[in-house]
Amino acid sequence: MPAVTRSFWRLATFGLIVSLLALPGIAHADDKLGDETLGGEQSAKTGDDGTVSVTVGGVVFDRSKNGSGDSAGALTSSTSWSPPPCWYAPKYTPEQLQKYLEPIWEAGSTGYEWDAKQREKYNADDEKKGFNKDKTGEGYWWGSYVDKSYPPGWDSCDEDYFWVDTGDAPPANIENAITPEILAELAYAEIRVPGTEVTLAPAEATKVNLPTWAWLDGAEFKPVSVTASVPAIGLQATATAEPVSLEIKAGTPDAETYPSSGVCEINDGRIGEPYAKGKADETPPCGVKYLRSSGDDTFPLQATVTWEIHWTGTGGAGGDLPNGEFGATQDVVVQEIQAINR
């Protein structure tokens, strides 16, 4: 596509986001592609097994195995990697594309010359074959979708709508056309993991020079996953996050961590070990020892869990994605040990 045309298409797309929704006949959330919602609208439905799926940007997300709770949050990649800012996927049937485009042309908001070229491209004046209506059920018009946060590069998917027959791959020159790997990357962005506030013993206030045990609830820290799919063309991928370690930073240089690296590895599915009576003189497998009192203040203990990400998808595809991290800070009171002189 020539540079001038690309620039015009970007401006037209951005400038019409609001105005097009107000036009009669424009596709809204009640328009369907197969069984799924069109465009950037969002819908949700519950299956017979109680699984909730949410359709966003032409992709169906199954979050039923995701992390939950008030403190759950999104992972931060341990590298500079980020999910695709935009992608191409099936968007319209022939009749739906006609319903979407003709009101735009009638409004004249994109100019007579542009509209005339578009009508010619889609053979709009042929009632039987226009918009590929003679191929209804044999393929879809693909279009671009944009990440809802509009990250850098959101406008790079500027190709006009293109037709793909069912079972065929999209044109080789189209970058970011949906694949199992792209679905896995989009699923990664939807993963939510449990909060990372660690349990400490002693609980109320720890003591100077006495080890403080730290652990996380093993029942909560299990693998979580999100599945992304495009049912219209039979593609899907599942991204799974598994906890591998907990890093503790005491919040003051006047402290020692257990182990000395501050990184507590997963052991038998547990992160750290709960304190039990009689272990006061033992060294905790995961914890911290403060060397001075926090006085009238507190120390900001940081606990960060690292999660490994892997994915599987249609056709036996699969692989690894960059590790993700999720952490929290909690205030710790450290008191001097009180001694009685006789």
Side-chain angles (χ1 to χ4, degrees):
M1 183 183 292
V4 173
T5 304
R6 289 180 184 273
S7 298
F8 178 85
W9 185 247
R10 289 179 182 176
L11 291 172
T13 300
F14 184 77
L16 292 174
I17 285 174
V18 176
S19 62
L20 293 183
L21 291 175
L23 293 174
I26 296 302
H28 291 289
D30 56 345
D31 293 318
K32 304 292 181 180
L33 174 57
D35 294 325
E36 308 308 331
T37 303
L38 285 174
E41 301 288 348
Q42 175 171 314
S43 70
K45 63 180 181 181
T46 304
D48 294 337
D49 61 354
T51 297
V52 176
S53 61
V54 181
T55 304
V56 182
V59 176
V60 179
F61 292 100
D62 180 353
R63 302 176 181 141
S64 61
K65 297 180 181 179
N66 214 355
S68 60
D70 294 338
S71 60
L75 292 168
T76 299
S77 173
S78 56
T79 70
S80 59
W81 175 90
S82 61
C86 63
W87 59 92
Y88 297 95
K91 199 160 191 174
Y92 297 123
T93 64
E95 292 77 9
Q96 289 165 345
L97 183 62
Q98 180 179 16
K99 182 181 178 182
Y100 177 76
L101 288 178
E102 286 192 335
I104 299 175
W105 300 335
E106 291 172 3
S109 55
T110 50
Y112 174 80
E113 183 178 354
W114 172 265
D115 294 346
K117 290 181 178 179
Q118 290 287 293
R119 294 188 67 85
E120 181 179 356
K121 173 182 177 179
Y122 297 106
N123 195 20
D125 296 327
D126 189 322
E127 293 185 4
K128 293 185 178 181
K129 296 185 178 181
F131 302 94
N132 281 5
K133 283 188 286 187
D134 58 325
K135 301 181 78 173
T136 297
E138 300 176 11
Y140 296 101
W141 287 101
W142 287 43
S144 63
Y145 294 90
V146 176
D147 184 285
K148 55 184 176 292
S149 65
Y150 290 90
W154 69 267
D155 58 347
S156 60
C157 295
D158 52 13
E159 295 289 346
D160 204 352
Y161 302 112
F162 54 91
W163 179 264
V164 179
D165 286 331
T166 300
D168 287 354
N173 65 312
I174 302 294
E175 295 184 7
N176 275 15
I178 205 74
T179 62
E181 184 170 6
I182 288 179
L183 284 173
E185 293 172 348
L186 296 174
Y188 182 131
E190 297 296 320
I191 288 176
R192 299 295 179 267
V193 296
T196 56
E197 182 171 351
V198 297
T199 303
L200 302 175
E204 299 300 327
T206 188
K207 306 298 182 181
V208 172
N209 290 323
L210 286 181
T212 298
W213 293 58
W215 68 92
L216 288 166
D217 185 349
E220 292 185 9
F221 281 82
K222 295 180 178 179
V224 298
S225 65
V226 172
T227 297
S229 63
V230 183
I233 55 174
L235 286 185
Q236 68 86 28
T238 299
T240 301
E242 296 189 61
V244 293
S245 64
L246 165 70
E247 181 178 15
I248 291 179
K249 294 183 179 179
T252 172
D254 298 316
E256 298 175 358
T257 56
Y258 304 100
S260 59
S261 64
V263 177
C264 307
E265 302 292 343
I266 298 292
N267 184 20
D268 294 331
R270 298 188 308 185
I271 303 179
E273 182 181 327
Y275 174 77
K277 187 175 181 180
K279 292 184 176 181
D281 295 331
E282 296 182 19
T283 299
C286 184
V288 61
K289 179 171 71 176
Y290 288 95
L291 306 179
R292 69 177 177 88
S293 166
S294 59
D296 295 329
D297 204 351
T298 58
F299 292 130
L301 182 145
Q302 294 180 344
T304 302
V305 175
T306 295
W307 299 74
E308 284 185 349
I309 315 296
H310 62 269
W311 68 275
T312 57
T314 301
D320 296 322
L321 291 169
N323 289 351
E325 298 176 342
F326 188 64
T329 300
Q330 58 198 87
D331 294 329
V332 177
V333 176
V334 182
Q335 299 175 339
E336 296 281 0
I337 297 176
Q338 300 298 317
I340 298 177
N341 295 320
R342 294 181 182 272

